[in-house]
Amino acid sequence: MKQITAIAVNPGNLVDSRALTTNTPQSLSRMQRFVYKPLLPLLRLLMGPTLRTSAPAGVDIADISVNHKYDGERGFFTLTQKDQSSPESQDEFTQTRLWGATLSWANITKDNTALQGGFK
Amino acid sequence: MAGLVIFTGANSSLGIPAADHLLQTYPEYTAVFTVRDASNSDVNTNALRKTIAPYPEGKASIVGLDLASVSAAHTFADSIISGIQSGQYPPIAAIVCNAYYWNLTGDPELTEDGFDKTIQVAHISHAALVLRLLGSFRPSGGRVVLLSSDSHWPGKNSMEKYPPKIPEDLELLIKPTVDDDKEGRGYQRYATGKLAVTAWMYALNRYLEKVSVLLRFATTCII
Protein backbone atom coordinates (compact mmCIF):
# COMPACT_ATOMS: atom_id res chain seq x y z
CA MET A 1 0.00 0.00 0.00
CA LYS A 2 2.96 2.24 0.54
CA GLN A 3 3.36 3.28 -3.07
CA ILE A 4 -0.26 4.20 -3.68
CA THR A 5 -0.75 7.86 -4.50
CA ALA A 6 -3.93 9.89 -4.87
CA ILE A 7 -4.43 12.60 -7.46
CA ALA A 8 -7.47 14.86 -7.97
CA VAL A 9 -7.61 16.16 -11.53
CA ASN A 10 -9.46 18.97 -13.20
CA PRO A 11 -9.70 17.54 -16.74
CA GLY A 12 -10.88 20.88 -18.12
CA ASN A 13 -14.24 22.32 -19.08
CA LEU A 14 -15.55 19.91 -21.64
CA VAL A 15 -17.76 21.71 -24.12
CA ASP A 16 -19.10 18.54 -25.73
CA SER A 17 -19.86 16.71 -22.49
CA ARG A 18 -23.18 14.90 -22.41
CA ALA A 19 -23.49 16.21 -18.88
CA LEU A 20 -24.59 19.54 -20.33
CA THR A 21 -27.69 17.88 -21.76
CA THR A 22 -28.38 15.50 -18.86
CA ASN A 23 -30.76 16.75 -16.17
CA THR A 24 -30.16 20.29 -17.31
CA PRO A 25 -32.46 23.09 -18.38
CA GLN A 26 -32.97 23.64 -22.09
CA SER A 27 -31.02 26.88 -21.90
CA LEU A 28 -27.86 24.94 -21.08
CA SER A 29 -28.36 22.47 -23.93
CA ARG A 30 -28.84 25.41 -26.25
CA MET A 31 -25.66 27.09 -24.94
CA GLN A 32 -23.74 23.93 -25.72
CA ARG A 33 -25.20 23.58 -29.19
CA PHE A 34 -25.08 27.18 -30.33
CA VAL A 35 -22.22 28.70 -28.35
CA TYR A 36 -19.73 26.33 -26.63
CA LYS A 37 -19.25 23.79 -29.40
CA PRO A 38 -19.24 26.01 -32.49
CA LEU A 39 -17.27 28.82 -30.88
CA LEU A 40 -14.74 26.65 -29.06
CA PRO A 41 -11.65 28.00 -30.89
CA LEU A 42 -12.63 31.57 -30.11
CA LEU A 43 -13.64 30.80 -26.53
CA ARG A 44 -10.32 29.07 -25.93
CA LEU A 45 -8.51 32.26 -26.86
CA LEU A 46 -10.47 34.03 -24.15
CA MET A 47 -10.59 31.32 -21.53
CA GLY A 48 -7.46 29.27 -22.06
CA PRO A 49 -6.63 25.63 -22.70
CA THR A 50 -8.84 24.19 -19.98
CA LEU A 51 -11.75 24.78 -22.35
CA ARG A 52 -11.67 21.78 -24.65
CA THR A 53 -13.49 18.68 -25.82
CA SER A 54 -13.85 15.37 -23.99
CA ALA A 55 -11.54 13.35 -26.21
CA PRO A 56 -8.20 14.88 -25.16
CA ALA A 57 -9.45 14.96 -21.56
CA GLY A 58 -10.09 11.22 -21.71
CA VAL A 59 -6.60 10.65 -23.07
CA ASP A 60 -5.09 12.70 -20.23
CA ILE A 61 -7.01 10.83 -17.55
CA ALA A 62 -5.92 7.47 -18.95
CA ASP A 63 -2.30 8.68 -19.02
CA ILE A 64 -2.46 10.06 -15.49
CA SER A 65 -3.82 6.71 -14.30
CA VAL A 66 -1.03 4.48 -15.55
CA ASN A 67 1.78 6.33 -17.26
CA HIS A 68 5.07 6.04 -15.34
CA LYS A 69 5.80 9.73 -15.66
CA TYR A 70 3.18 10.26 -12.94
CA ASP A 71 4.65 7.68 -10.56
CA GLY A 72 4.88 9.05 -7.05
CA GLU A 73 2.80 12.12 -7.87
CA ARG A 74 0.23 13.26 -5.31
CA GLY A 75 -2.05 16.26 -5.13
CA PHE A 76 -4.13 18.38 -7.45
CA PHE A 77 -3.68 18.55 -11.20
CA THR A 78 -5.17 20.81 -13.84
CA LEU A 79 -5.10 18.93 -17.15
CA THR A 80 -1.73 17.18 -16.77
CA GLN A 81 0.11 19.74 -14.64
CA LYS A 82 0.49 19.87 -10.88
CA ASP A 83 -1.54 22.82 -9.64
CA GLN A 84 -2.99 24.47 -6.55
CA SER A 85 -6.49 23.61 -5.49
CA SER A 86 -8.73 25.95 -3.52
CA PRO A 87 -7.85 27.17 -0.02
CA GLU A 88 -10.85 25.40 1.46
CA SER A 89 -9.86 22.10 -0.12
CA GLN A 90 -6.40 22.49 1.40
CA ASP A 91 -7.71 23.24 4.89
CA GLU A 92 -6.63 20.35 7.11
CA PHE A 93 -9.43 20.78 9.59
CA THR A 94 -12.01 20.52 6.78
CA GLN A 95 -10.18 17.50 5.36
CA THR A 96 -10.11 15.74 8.70
CA ARG A 97 -13.78 16.41 9.46
CA LEU A 98 -14.77 15.16 6.06
CA TRP A 99 -12.51 12.10 6.31
CA GLY A 100 -14.09 10.94 9.56
CA ALA A 101 -17.66 11.53 8.38
CA THR A 102 -16.92 9.77 5.10
CA LEU A 103 -15.80 6.59 6.87
CA SER A 104 -19.17 6.46 8.57
CA TRP A 105 -21.24 7.34 5.49
CA ALA A 106 -19.34 4.82 3.36
CA ASN A 107 -19.67 2.02 5.97
CA ILE A 108 -15.92 1.68 6.24
CA THR A 109 -14.59 0.06 9.41
CA LYS A 110 -11.23 -1.23 10.55
CA ASP A 111 -12.39 -4.64 9.43
CA ASN A 112 -13.08 -3.85 5.80
CA THR A 113 -10.20 -1.61 4.75
CA ALA A 114 -6.44 -2.13 4.67
CA LEU A 115 -5.93 1.52 5.66
CA GLN A 116 -5.85 0.94 9.39
CA GLY A 117 -4.22 4.29 10.11
CA GLY A 118 -7.30 6.14 8.89
CA PHE A 119 -9.15 5.60 12.15
CA LYS A 120 -8.74 7.57 15.37
CA MET B 1 4.34 -4.62 -13.59
CA ALA B 2 0.98 -3.99 -15.24
CA GLY B 3 -2.26 -4.54 -13.38
CA LEU B 4 -5.95 -3.87 -13.18
CA VAL B 5 -7.46 -0.47 -13.93
CA ILE B 6 -10.92 0.14 -12.50
CA PHE B 7 -12.69 3.06 -14.21
CA THR B 8 -16.12 4.21 -13.08
CA GLY B 9 -18.59 6.04 -15.30
CA ALA B 10 -16.67 4.66 -18.25
CA ASN B 11 -19.45 5.37 -20.76
CA SER B 12 -19.30 9.11 -20.15
CA SER B 13 -18.10 11.62 -22.73
CA LEU B 14 -14.65 11.49 -21.13
CA GLY B 15 -14.77 7.81 -20.23
CA ILE B 16 -15.10 6.45 -23.75
CA PRO B 17 -11.97 8.11 -25.19
CA ALA B 18 -10.14 7.27 -21.97
CA ALA B 19 -11.05 3.60 -22.37
CA ASP B 20 -9.92 3.60 -25.98
CA HIS B 21 -6.60 5.30 -25.19
CA LEU B 22 -5.95 3.04 -22.21
CA LEU B 23 -6.44 -0.18 -24.15
CA GLN B 24 -4.53 1.06 -27.19
CA THR B 25 -1.56 2.72 -25.52
CA TYR B 26 -1.19 0.52 -22.45
CA PRO B 27 -2.13 -2.98 -23.69
CA GLU B 28 -0.37 -4.64 -20.78
CA TYR B 29 -3.14 -3.47 -18.42
CA THR B 30 -6.49 -5.15 -17.80
CA ALA B 31 -9.52 -2.92 -17.36
CA VAL B 32 -12.83 -3.15 -15.55
CA PHE B 33 -15.08 -0.37 -16.80
CA THR B 34 -18.10 0.31 -14.63
CA VAL B 35 -21.34 1.88 -15.79
CA ARG B 36 -24.62 2.50 -14.02
CA ASP B 37 -26.56 0.51 -16.60
CA ALA B 38 -24.68 -2.33 -18.26
CA SER B 39 -27.68 -3.56 -20.25
CA ASN B 40 -27.99 -3.57 -24.04
CA SER B 41 -30.57 -0.82 -23.91
CA ASP B 42 -28.18 1.86 -22.66
CA VAL B 43 -26.97 3.77 -25.69
CA ASN B 44 -23.84 5.07 -23.97
CA THR B 45 -22.87 1.64 -22.66
CA ASN B 46 -23.32 0.31 -26.19
CA ALA B 47 -20.97 3.03 -27.43
CA LEU B 48 -18.42 1.90 -24.83
CA ARG B 49 -18.91 -1.71 -25.90
CA LYS B 50 -18.25 -0.76 -29.50
CA THR B 51 -15.12 1.13 -28.45
CA ILE B 52 -13.59 -1.79 -26.58
CA ALA B 53 -14.66 -4.48 -29.08
CA PRO B 54 -11.53 -4.30 -31.27
CA TYR B 55 -9.22 -5.05 -28.36
CA PRO B 56 -8.15 -8.54 -27.29
CA GLU B 57 -10.79 -10.49 -25.44
CA GLY B 58 -10.26 -10.60 -21.71
CA LYS B 59 -8.44 -7.27 -21.62
CA ALA B 60 -11.51 -5.26 -20.75
CA SER B 61 -14.92 -5.90 -19.27
CA ILE B 62 -17.95 -3.75 -18.57
CA VAL B 63 -19.57 -4.21 -15.17
CA GLY B 64 -22.76 -2.62 -13.89
CA LEU B 65 -22.26 -0.51 -10.75
CA ASP B 66 -24.77 2.02 -9.46
CA LEU B 67 -22.89 4.35 -7.17
CA ALA B 68 -26.19 5.62 -5.81
CA SER B 69 -25.92 2.61 -3.50
CA VAL B 70 -23.11 2.27 -0.97
CA SER B 71 -23.82 -1.43 -0.61
CA ALA B 72 -23.47 -1.82 -4.39
CA ALA B 73 -20.02 -0.24 -4.12
CA HIS B 74 -19.14 -2.74 -1.39
CA THR B 75 -20.50 -5.68 -3.40
CA PHE B 76 -18.50 -4.57 -6.40
CA ALA B 77 -15.37 -4.28 -4.22
CA ASP B 78 -16.02 -7.82 -2.93
CA SER B 79 -16.20 -9.12 -6.50
CA ILE B 80 -12.93 -7.40 -7.43
CA ILE B 81 -11.18 -8.76 -4.34
CA SER B 82 -12.30 -12.31 -5.03
CA GLY B 83 -11.51 -11.88 -8.73
CA ILE B 84 -7.95 -10.92 -7.86
CA GLN B 85 -7.64 -13.78 -5.37
CA SER B 86 -8.85 -16.29 -7.96
CA GLY B 87 -6.54 -14.94 -10.65
CA GLN B 88 -9.36 -13.64 -12.82
CA TYR B 89 -7.85 -10.16 -12.50
CA PRO B 90 -4.31 -8.98 -11.80
CA PRO B 91 -3.82 -6.81 -8.68
CA ILE B 92 -4.90 -3.21 -8.98
CA ALA B 93 -2.76 -0.57 -10.67
CA ALA B 94 -5.26 2.27 -10.68
CA ILE B 95 -8.77 3.22 -9.61
CA VAL B 96 -10.28 6.08 -11.62
CA CYS B 97 -13.27 7.70 -9.94
CA ASN B 98 -14.92 9.33 -12.94
CA ALA B 99 -18.65 8.71 -12.48
CA TYR B 100 -20.77 11.70 -11.56
CA TYR B 101 -24.40 12.62 -11.11
CA TRP B 102 -26.10 15.97 -11.21
CA ASN B 103 -29.57 17.37 -11.46
CA LEU B 104 -29.91 21.01 -12.40
CA THR B 105 -33.67 20.82 -12.86
CA GLY B 106 -34.97 19.42 -9.60
CA ASP B 107 -34.74 19.29 -5.84
CA PRO B 108 -31.99 17.34 -4.06
CA GLU B 109 -32.67 13.62 -4.39
CA LEU B 110 -31.87 11.22 -1.58
CA THR B 111 -30.55 7.76 -2.35
CA GLU B 112 -31.62 4.58 -0.57
CA ASP B 113 -28.73 5.32 1.81
CA GLY B 114 -30.34 8.63 2.71
CA PHE B 115 -27.66 10.83 1.16
CA ASP B 116 -27.89 13.48 -1.54
CA LYS B 117 -27.34 11.62 -4.81
CA THR B 118 -24.91 14.15 -6.28
CA ILE B 119 -22.65 13.99 -3.22
CA GLN B 120 -22.96 10.22 -2.89
CA VAL B 121 -21.98 9.44 -6.47
CA ALA B 122 -19.19 12.04 -6.55
CA HIS B 123 -17.69 11.18 -3.21
CA ILE B 124 -19.21 8.74 -0.74
CA SER B 125 -19.55 5.63 -2.90
CA HIS B 126 -16.19 6.26 -4.54
CA ALA B 127 -14.58 6.57 -1.10
CA ALA B 128 -16.14 3.24 -0.15
CA LEU B 129 -14.75 1.67 -3.31
CA VAL B 130 -11.26 3.05 -2.85
CA LEU B 131 -10.97 2.25 0.86
CA ARG B 132 -12.22 -1.32 0.33
CA LEU B 133 -9.73 -1.89 -2.46
CA LEU B 134 -6.52 -0.31 -1.15
CA GLY B 135 -5.37 -3.69 0.09
CA SER B 136 -5.68 -5.19 -3.38
CA PHE B 137 -3.15 -3.02 -5.17
CA ARG B 138 -0.05 -4.63 -6.64
CA PRO B 139 3.08 -4.57 -4.44
CA SER B 140 4.59 -1.75 -6.51
CA GLY B 141 1.54 0.39 -5.69
CA GLY B 142 -0.48 2.52 -8.05
CA ARG B 143 -2.82 5.48 -8.29
CA VAL B 144 -6.19 6.64 -7.11
CA VAL B 145 -7.40 9.21 -9.64
CA LEU B 146 -10.32 11.36 -8.53
CA LEU B 147 -12.08 13.53 -11.06
CA SER B 148 -12.32 17.09 -9.77
CA SER B 149 -13.25 20.31 -11.53
CA ASP B 150 -12.55 24.02 -11.43
CA SER B 151 -16.04 24.23 -9.98
CA HIS B 152 -14.59 23.18 -6.61
CA TRP B 153 -13.02 26.66 -6.31
CA PRO B 154 -15.52 29.50 -5.70
CA GLY B 155 -15.56 31.96 -8.55
CA LYS B 156 -13.68 29.84 -11.06
CA ASN B 157 -16.56 28.44 -13.09
CA SER B 158 -19.02 30.67 -14.93
CA MET B 159 -21.86 28.24 -14.25
CA GLU B 160 -21.60 28.99 -10.53
CA LYS B 161 -24.36 30.99 -8.91
CA TYR B 162 -23.80 29.87 -5.31
CA PRO B 163 -20.25 28.95 -4.28
CA PRO B 164 -19.36 25.43 -3.19
CA LYS B 165 -18.74 25.03 0.53
CA ILE B 166 -18.33 22.16 2.94
CA PRO B 167 -20.89 23.17 5.58
CA GLU B 168 -20.07 23.41 9.30
CA ASP B 169 -22.85 20.93 9.88
CA LEU B 170 -21.94 17.99 7.65
CA GLU B 171 -25.53 16.79 7.78
CA LEU B 172 -26.27 19.61 5.34
CA LEU B 173 -23.73 18.18 2.94
CA ILE B 174 -25.54 14.86 2.73
CA LYS B 175 -29.05 16.29 3.17
CA PRO B 176 -29.09 19.68 1.47
CA THR B 177 -32.00 22.02 1.95
CA VAL B 178 -34.55 22.57 -0.81
CA ASP B 179 -34.54 25.82 -2.74
CA ASP B 180 -36.50 27.36 -5.59
CA ASP B 181 -33.38 27.82 -7.69
CA LYS B 182 -32.98 24.28 -9.06
CA GLU B 183 -30.22 25.09 -11.54
CA GLY B 184 -28.14 27.23 -9.19
CA ARG B 185 -28.42 24.86 -6.23
CA GLY B 186 -28.04 21.75 -8.37
CA TYR B 187 -24.78 23.12 -9.71
CA GLN B 188 -23.73 24.11 -6.19
CA ARG B 189 -24.25 20.51 -5.03
CA TYR B 190 -22.15 19.30 -7.95
CA ALA B 191 -19.38 21.81 -7.18
CA THR B 192 -19.50 20.97 -3.47
CA GLY B 193 -19.18 17.30 -4.37
CA LYS B 194 -16.02 18.12 -6.32
CA LEU B 195 -14.75 20.17 -3.39
CA ALA B 196 -15.35 17.20 -1.10
CA VAL B 197 -13.49 14.85 -3.45
CA THR B 198 -10.54 17.27 -3.69
CA ALA B 199 -10.29 17.83 0.08
CA TRP B 200 -10.62 14.08 0.73
CA MET B 201 -7.74 13.41 -1.65
CA TYR B 202 -5.33 15.28 0.64
CA ALA B 203 -6.46 13.36 3.70
CA LEU B 204 -6.15 10.06 1.80
CA ASN B 205 -2.60 10.92 0.76
CA ARG B 206 -1.71 11.79 4.33
CA TYR B 207 -2.83 8.39 5.57
CA LEU B 208 -1.21 6.58 2.65
CA GLU B 209 2.09 8.35 3.28
CA LYS B 210 1.98 7.49 6.98
CA VAL B 211 1.88 3.83 6.03
CA SER B 212 4.84 4.41 3.76
CA VAL B 213 6.84 6.02 6.55
CA LEU B 214 5.92 3.33 9.06
CA LEU B 215 6.95 0.55 6.72
CA ARG B 216 10.26 2.20 5.84
CA PHE B 217 11.01 2.69 9.54
CA ALA B 218 10.12 -0.92 10.28
CA THR B 219 12.46 -2.07 7.54
CA THR B 220 15.44 -0.10 8.83
CA CYS B 221 14.88 -1.25 12.42
CA ILE B 222 15.24 -4.90 11.59
CA ILE B 223 19.02 -5.21 11.79
Side-chain angles (χ1 to χ4, degrees):
Chain A
M1 203 170 24
K2 54 187 193 268
Q3 305 298 342
I4 302 173
T5 59
I7 293 178
V9 199
N10 168 17
N13 298 98
L14 310 180
V15 297
D16 61 348
S17 172
R18 263 180 275 120
L20 294 176
T21 52
T22 308
N23 297 333
T24 57
Q26 277 232 338
S27 55
L28 195 50
S29 308
R30 282 198 293 266
M31 274 296 271
Q32 177 180 62
R33 192 164 157 218
F34 296 115
V35 179
Y36 299 148
K37 277 167 147 177
L39 299 180
L40 177 60
L42 178 63
L43 292 170
R44 269 172 77 95
L45 287 175
L46 298 168
M47 295 172 65
T50 55
L51 197 71
R52 56 183 185 163
T53 58
S54 307
V59 166
D60 284 350
I61 294 300
D63 285 338
I64 286 169
S65 311
V66 298
N67 194 298
H68 289 304
K69 68 180 169 184
Y70 301 101
D71 284 355
E73 291 280 4
R74 298 179 195 270
F76 185 80
F77 277 59
T78 295
L79 308 191
T80 58
Q81 302 297 314
K82 197 85 182 281
D83 197 3
Q84 286 293 312
S85 65
S86 74
E88 186 175 357
S89 67
Q90 295 193 56
D91 176 64
E92 271 198 39
F93 180 60
T94 300
Q95 293 163 8
T96 305
R97 278 197 308 135
L98 183 63
W99 176 269
T102 300
L103 292 176
S104 162
W105 296 331
N107 285 337
I108 295 294
T109 67
K110 277 192 156 172
D111 297 322
N112 65 14
T113 179
L115 194 66
Q116 296 290 288
F119 299 86
K120 284 216 173 72
Chain B
M1 178 199 171
L4 180 67
V5 177
I6 296 167
F7 197 116
T8 71
N11 61 359
S12 74
S13 300
L14 180 155
I16 291 178
D20 195 22
H21 182 68
L22 179 71
L23 295 172
Q24 181 170 84
T25 310
Y26 307 98
E28 65 273 30
Y29 288 88
T30 304
V32 165
F33 297 119
T34 85
V35 297
R36 185 177 43 84
D37 179 358
S39 76
N40 287 329
S41 57
D42 187 291
V43 62
N44 299 315
T45 299
N46 286 340
L48 176 63
R49 245 178 221 114
K50 197 168 160 201
T51 300
I52 72 175
Y55 297 102
E57 209 176 313
K59 270 294 161 181
S61 55
I62 297 174
V63 175
L65 169 59
D66 188 348
L67 292 165
S69 160
V70 171
S71 65
H74 280 268
T75 302
F76 172 78
D78 288 334
S79 72
I80 295 293
I81 290 166
S82 65
I84 293 171
Q85 281 167 353
S86 71
Q88 180 193 3
Y89 303 126
I92 297 170
I95 303 176
V96 183
C97 302
N98 171 62
Y100 86 102
Y101 177 80
W102 75 2
N103 188 347
L104 309 194
T105 62
D107 291 333
E109 299 149 273
L110 296 186
T111 64
E112 66 184 39
D113 298 298
F115 307 135
D116 174 71
K117 193 167 170 182
T118 300
I119 303 297
Q120 174 155 344
V121 174
H123 174 53
I124 299 171
S125 291
H126 278 127
L129 198 68
V130 168
L131 292 173
R132 287 293 319 279
L133 291 176
L134 284 177
S136 301
F137 272 72
R138 56 196 181 172
S140 55
R143 276 191 275 287
V144 173
V145 181
L146 304 161
L147 270 287
S148 180
S149 165
D150 64 356
S151 66
H152 87 279
W153 195 321
K156 292 261 182 187
N157 193 298
S158 57
M159 282 182 68
E160 173 188 303
K161 195 164 166 195
Y162 310 103
K165 172 118 193 79
I166 306 285
E168 286 277 326
D169 177 4
L170 287 174
E171 272 297 295
L172 290 172
L173 179 65
I174 53 171
K175 293 185 199 319
T177 52
V178 176
D179 194 281
D180 282 340
D181 187 346
K182 312 301 175 194
E183 188 177 355
R185 293 298 180 187
Y187 187 79
Q188 184 186 35
R189 289 194 300 280
Y190 171 79
T192 299
K194 293 303 185 185
L195 171 57
V197 158
T198 306
W200 188 79
M201 172 273 293
Y202 290 106
L204 176 62
N205 273 320
R206 236 182 343 270
Y207 291 117
L208 289 170
E209 281 180 295
K210 269 200 190 120
V211 174
S212 172
V213 167
L214 262 167
L215 284 171
R216 276 205 301 277
F217 182 70
T219 309
T220 55
C221 266
I222 300 162
I223 300 164

